[in-house]
Amino acid sequence: MQDPLGRLAAQIGSGMKLAVPVDYGGVPMALTRAIIAAGIDDLHLVCVPTGGMQVDMMIGAGLVKTIETSAVSLGEAGGAPQFNAAVRAGRVAMMDATCPAIHAGLLAAQKGVPFVPIRGLIETDVLANRLDWCVINNPMADDTGDDPIVLIPAIHPDAAIFHAPMADRFGNVWIGRRRELAAMAYSTKTTLVTVERMFDGDLMADEMTAAGTLPALYVTDVAVAARGAWPLGLWGEYDGDVAEQHRYAQAARTPEGFAAYMASDVRAGAA
Amino acid sequence: MSTPTTAHEILIVSIARLLRGTRHVAVGAASPIPAAGAMLARALAETQDEPKLRLSILGSVAHNFFTNGSAELFDCAAQGRIDAFFLGGGQIDGSGNVNLVGVGDYPEGTVRWPGSFGSAFLYFQIPRVILFREEHTPRVMVEKVDFISAPGVSSEGIWRKGGPHALLTGKGLFGFDATRPGFHLQTLHPGHTLEDVTAATGFRFSHAHATPETPPPDAATLALIRGRIRDELHESYPDFAATLRTAPLPSPLKEPSS
């Protein structure tokens, strides 16, 4: 019988548009190792709104064709070496964004509308390089003057993945105040979640937990992965493993170092 | 005070001065010195009986008001509820343009940095954006950025209510004049000269005939940095907090533990 992480990973296929969370939001690192082990490719990653070690690993392992993000870095551990190398070599197609534009794209998907307007961006090279964004004149401007405003099209990922503290047996997932995880789930038909543990009861039955719960309506599948965000941290649960993040940052500077790290790390994740 | 002021303490107190009179300041991730300066501004507002200053420090639980996920910072700014924010930059040019993306021809280039984060939005929204970059060299302070993540000024008719307020570096403090547009050297940090700053700056800037030195913190402010601010900073930036000296004890005897 397939292990639970493998069951979730098997639902991510080559060529899919995949939404992934910010480093401090609950990154499913254990699931990411399983996805890498599955050997898929041509993914289009949407970072909500930035990426870190997870994204760097997926790029280094050759899974990523396109990346839509406001930034990728390893935070205190420095720049993202595999991401940086892949961009410079033109191995990934880059869709540079800005954080609120990614949120706007997800909001449009959540509302079921084709776009959401946002301020800023005019006369930036971010906008100049995003041919999928467009500028219109605000049709509701008070006076006759021009008021250009940017439209961000809805982002419709094929799947979203994240890690959270707990879920119940009905498929409800507790996300606390990390509301962007809900925004990710609203934007797609396939939301795959790993959790630290199962909650013995119904998260929707108590107002205190229900307020921070993503209902099962939006959740496709859940698997338990204890310390599933390691070596990143999980809010309210555990801090990131800074020494391990630095170990990765150091190793990933060269293709050989990256390969050696992943060979040992994927085995550790699969054990 | 027995121990002299450090370069970091000059930066921290400079940031606190730039934030005076603000009501809500947001600090992005990986920004220990701006976080320390904002915490100092909050502490000083309390001791000087000025209006309460709220802080939203990304990555902190204790110093953060947001409950609506990572979109809330941007919504809050768009609602006009954030008075000041900090931006860095791999390159900053004389017109206040910021580049967080990379060097050379986009997208491949020769150097790739993380990316624009929220700059392309927040620079338009937040009235007092403080450009902060400790490294003050010709490779950072350039004549013209290779990629505009966020523009220092906008053409007429472009909606904008925010922008650069100051540029603080390891060498000095500059003000920004959006009408020129350009920077004006206001003060030089201890140990730096106009010649030294000019040589390290790839863009032209204006300056007075004689530029004053950045004033150091007074004894009470220094004690705040080495005491309360050090303690508040520990949650989000333990390594950096440890580099701030411990406040001298009020007496040679240690307080009895309760």
Side-chain angles (χ1 to χ4, degrees):
Chain A
M1 192 179 142
Q2 207 172 25
D3 71 287
L5 286 178
R7 186 186 75 229
L8 262 60
Q11 297 174 64
I12 308 294
S14 291
M16 281 174 65
K17 184 183 283 196
L18 182 65
V20 295
V22 67
D23 259 12
Y24 52 79
V27 180
M29 290 301 292
L31 175 60
T32 299
R33 289 181 208 105
I35 292 170
I36 290 172
I40 57 169
D41 57 17
D42 284 348
L43 291 180
H44 174 141
L45 292 185
V46 178
C47 303
V48 183
T50 62
M53 184 191 281
Q54 174 196 31
V55 168
D56 201 61
M57 280 184 177
M58 291 174 95
I59 290 173
L63 275 69
V64 181
K65 182 181 182 185
T66 302
I67 177 165
E68 188 169 351
T69 188
S70 305
V72 181
S73 94
L74 301 183
E76 302 292 289
Q82 291 297 314
F83 162 76
N84 293 348
V87 173
R88 286 199 311 274
R91 288 199 304 271
V92 289
M94 199 59 225
M95 296 172 75
D96 265 291
T98 186
C99 304
I102 303 242
H103 293 305
L106 293 179
L107 182 65
Q110 175 182 336
K111 302 287 184 200
V113 295
F115 55 80
V116 158
I118 71 166
R119 287 299 190 184
L121 279 167
I122 311 267
E123 298 175 339
T124 67
D125 285 324
V126 181
L127 174 64
N129 286 283
R130 287 299 300 260
L131 303 180
D132 55 328
W133 296 353
C134 75
V135 180
I136 61 159
N137 193 37
N138 172 9
M140 298 182 181
D142 290 343
D143 47 40
T144 53
D146 281 350
D147 179 20
I149 188 164
V150 178
L151 304 183
I152 307 294
I155 298 173
H156 294 288
D158 296 304
I161 57 173
F162 63 83
H163 185 69
M166 57 186 175
D168 65 21
R169 68 181 188 279
F170 308 107
N172 303 305
V173 177
W174 191 72
I175 59 168
R177 63 179 108 174
R178 298 258 47 107
R179 299 302 305 173
E180 70 270 30
L181 300 178
M184 287 164 62
Y186 300 152
S187 73
T188 179
K189 295 289 189 287
T190 302
T191 296
L192 307 170
V193 184
T194 57
V195 293
E196 288 293 311
R197 59 187 169 275
M198 294 306 289
F199 174 77
D200 185 19
D202 181 353
L203 287 164
M204 298 293 283
D206 180 340
E207 287 299 322
M208 294 291 278
T209 50
T213 294
L214 178 67
L217 176 63
Y218 305 101
V219 178
T220 308
D221 204 350
V222 177
V224 173
R227 290 191 66 78
W230 179 87
L232 299 174
L234 179 62
W235 42 273
E237 298 280 328
Y238 46 88
D239 290 333
D241 182 343
V242 176
E244 183 65 15
Q245 291 171 28
H246 278 98
R247 197 172 79 81
Y248 172 79
Q250 183 67 31
R253 285 182 188 177
T254 63
E256 300 75 23
F258 175 77
Y261 182 94
M262 294 305 287
S264 61
D265 189 61
V266 169
R267 272 202 301 276
Chain B
M1 198 58 63
S2 53
T3 44
T5 305
T6 66
H8 278 169
E9 287 164 345
I10 291 282
L11 296 174
I12 290 167
V13 76
S14 297
I15 287 169
R17 289 181 189 125
L18 290 167
L19 296 177
R20 192 158 181 198
T22 55
R23 305 294 293 268
H24 183 193
V25 175
V27 183
S31 308
I33 292 173
M39 285 169 169
L40 179 61
R42 175 173 63 181
L44 289 170
E46 277 173 31
T47 58
Q48 291 159 8
D49 214 21
E50 287 174 2
K52 187 177 172 62
L53 170 55
R54 287 194 171 85
L55 300 186
S56 292
I57 296 180
L58 265 66
S60 168
V61 174
H63 308 282
N64 192 322
F65 290 97
F66 298 143
T67 57
N68 199 23
S70 61
E72 189 172 0
L73 166 69
F74 309 102
D75 294 347
C76 198
Q79 294 155 18
R81 296 179 201 272
I82 299 178
D83 304 314
F85 186 70
F86 302 87
L87 281 181
Q91 292 177 334
I92 297 169
D93 73 21
S95 300
N97 298 315
V98 171
N99 173 6
L100 294 159
V101 163
V103 179
D105 291 335
Y106 183 84
E108 280 85 358
T110 53
V111 177
R112 171 71 204 199
W113 295 313
S116 300
F117 291 95
S119 66
F121 180 84
L122 294 175
Y123 219 18
F124 291 78
Q125 296 279 5
I126 298 179
R128 227 184 268 196
V129 177
I130 296 166
L131 299 173
F132 174 69
R133 181 75 202 254
E134 220 179 330
E135 180 183 336
H136 188 147
T137 60
R139 70 172 190 165
V140 176
M141 305 302 162
V142 298
E143 189 181 359
K144 193 173 186 318
V145 295
D146 290 359
F147 183 100
I148 299 176
S149 288
V153 293
S154 296
S155 301
E156 206 182 319
I158 304 298
W159 183 97
R160 182 161 195 160
K161 63 181 182 187
H165 174 67
L167 166 64
L168 179 67
T169 76
K171 294 183 186 295
L173 172 67
F174 299 79
F176 186 74
D177 179 358
T179 60
R180 289 206 323 258
F183 290 102
H184 178 82
L185 181 64
Q186 290 179 335
T187 63
L188 288 159
H189 301 332
H192 295 284
T193 63
L194 176 62
E195 293 67 36
D196 160 26
V197 170
T198 304
T201 309
F203 57 78
R204 291 165 65 89
F205 58 89
S206 64
H207 57 84
H209 184 64
T211 301
E213 186 172 272
T214 311
D218 61 25
T221 305
L222 200 54
L224 268 178
I225 296 174
R226 295 174 182 181
R228 174 176 164 175
I229 305 312
R230 182 184 201 269
D231 293 344
E232 288 180 350
L233 207 56
H234 180 78
E235 176 213 7
S236 299
Y237 298 106
D239 292 347
F240 182 78
T243 68
L244 298 174
R245 293 195 187 94
T246 310
L249 291 166
S251 81
L253 294 172
K254 277 195 170 178
E255 302 278 347
S257 54
S258 52

